[in-house]
Amino acid sequence: MSDHVTGPVGPFEPPCYAVVFTSVRGGDGQGYDETAECLDELVAAVPGFLGMESAGSPGGLGITVGYFRDEEAIKAWRSDPEHRVAQRRGRAEWYESYVLHIAKVERSHGFVRG
Amino acid sequence: MSDHVTGPVGPFEPPCYAVVFTSVRGGDGQGYDETAECLDELVAAVPGFLGMESAGSPGGLGITVGYFRDEEAIKAWRSDPEHRVAQRRGRAEWYESYVLHIAKVERSHGFVRG
């Protein structure tokens, strides 16, 4: 996903799921940025989507964490037609490797400098 | 934490917890890198620690995800004396803001280019 840096999103109180997507890119990345921008807009429209954040540096590990209210929201996003096209293209063209963890948030807290 | 890029860690099968720490740095960062290196070594020795990965760029959002087998491992790490000193110093000196989510992994999968 593209890297909009504003600050951490959340904390989100349960019920909430975190979807942790960690990846190493490969290839020339053609079409990646455009697709990521498009997906950023699409995921924001999914009912139950709470927020997303990405970090990474070129050539390094990328981590994107999406927060969703429930399993239904995750399922809706996973099966979104444009997202599915991007998933296939990711495996074919953009990623050397990735790992996805779907996890149920049990507790959260945040800190902001006073 | 320091940024050792090798690839995604995992996937880890349940039972497993993901601790997602998202932060924005501030200040001059004095002592941060040394402390992060020290903590990387300490956390690796915690029974039930599975792996950790970090991504971020200078001035941007940083995301570190630690994976632990169970709540006992998370508690042991949270209450480690050197880690507690670092937590206090983080709030006093290194971070503008952060959010921490503790989440129980329900499922995982990985992809590696064939």
Side-chain angles (χ1 to χ4, degrees):
Chain A
M1 308 294 162
S2 57
D3 202 9
H4 306 306
V5 177
T6 49
V9 299
F12 302 110
E13 292 305 312
C16 165
Y17 285 79
V19 177
V20 182
F21 179 74
T22 305
S23 63
V24 174
R25 301 265 299 275
D28 64 3
Q30 196 183 6
Y32 177 86
D33 289 343
E34 297 86 328
T35 301
E37 275 184 42
C38 173
L39 294 182
D40 283 354
E41 286 181 26
L42 285 171
V43 71
V46 171
F49 170 77
L50 299 174
M52 189 170 64
E53 54 206 357
S54 293
S57 44
L61 197 70
I63 304 178
T64 294
V65 187
Y67 297 93
F68 297 86
R69 183 57 71 203
D70 50 31
E71 285 274 15
E72 287 66 38
I74 294 173
K75 187 177 175 186
W77 177 231
R78 184 175 62 232
S79 54
D80 174 276
E82 292 191 62
H83 189 200
R84 296 201 57 168
V85 170
Q87 289 164 30
R88 283 194 293 274
R89 206 167 162 196
R91 287 188 291 271
E93 297 177 50
W94 295 323
Y95 297 116
E96 282 301 312
S97 59
Y98 64 73
V99 172
L100 189 72
H101 289 280
I102 291 92
K104 189 172 189 181
V105 173
E106 299 202 336
R107 56 189 185 277
S108 302
H109 71 265
F111 162 81
V112 178
R113 184 171 298 277
Chain B
M1 309 295 162
S2 57
D3 203 9
H4 306 305
V5 176
T6 49
V9 299
F12 303 109
E13 291 305 311
C16 165
Y17 285 79
V19 177
V20 182
F21 179 75
T22 305
S23 63
V24 175
R25 300 266 299 277
D28 64 3
Q30 197 184 4
Y32 176 87
D33 289 342
E34 298 86 330
T35 301
E37 274 184 41
C38 174
L39 294 182
D40 282 356
E41 286 180 26
L42 284 171
V43 73
V46 171
F49 170 77
L50 300 174
M52 190 169 63
E53 54 205 358
S54 293
S57 45
L61 197 70
I63 303 178
T64 295
V65 187
Y67 297 93
F68 298 86
R69 183 57 71 202
D70 50 32
E71 286 274 14
E72 288 65 38
I74 295 173
K75 188 177 174 187
W77 176 232
R78 185 175 61 231
S79 54
D80 173 275
E82 293 191 63
H83 189 201
R84 296 201 57 167
V85 170
Q87 289 164 29
R88 283 194 293 274
R89 207 168 162 196
R91 287 188 290 270
E93 297 177 50
W94 296 322
Y95 297 117
E96 283 301 313
S97 59
Y98 65 73
V99 172
L100 190 73
H101 289 280
I102 291 93
K104 189 172 187 180
V105 173
E106 299 202 337
R107 57 190 184 275
S108 301
H109 69 266
F111 163 82
V112 177
R113 183 172 299 277

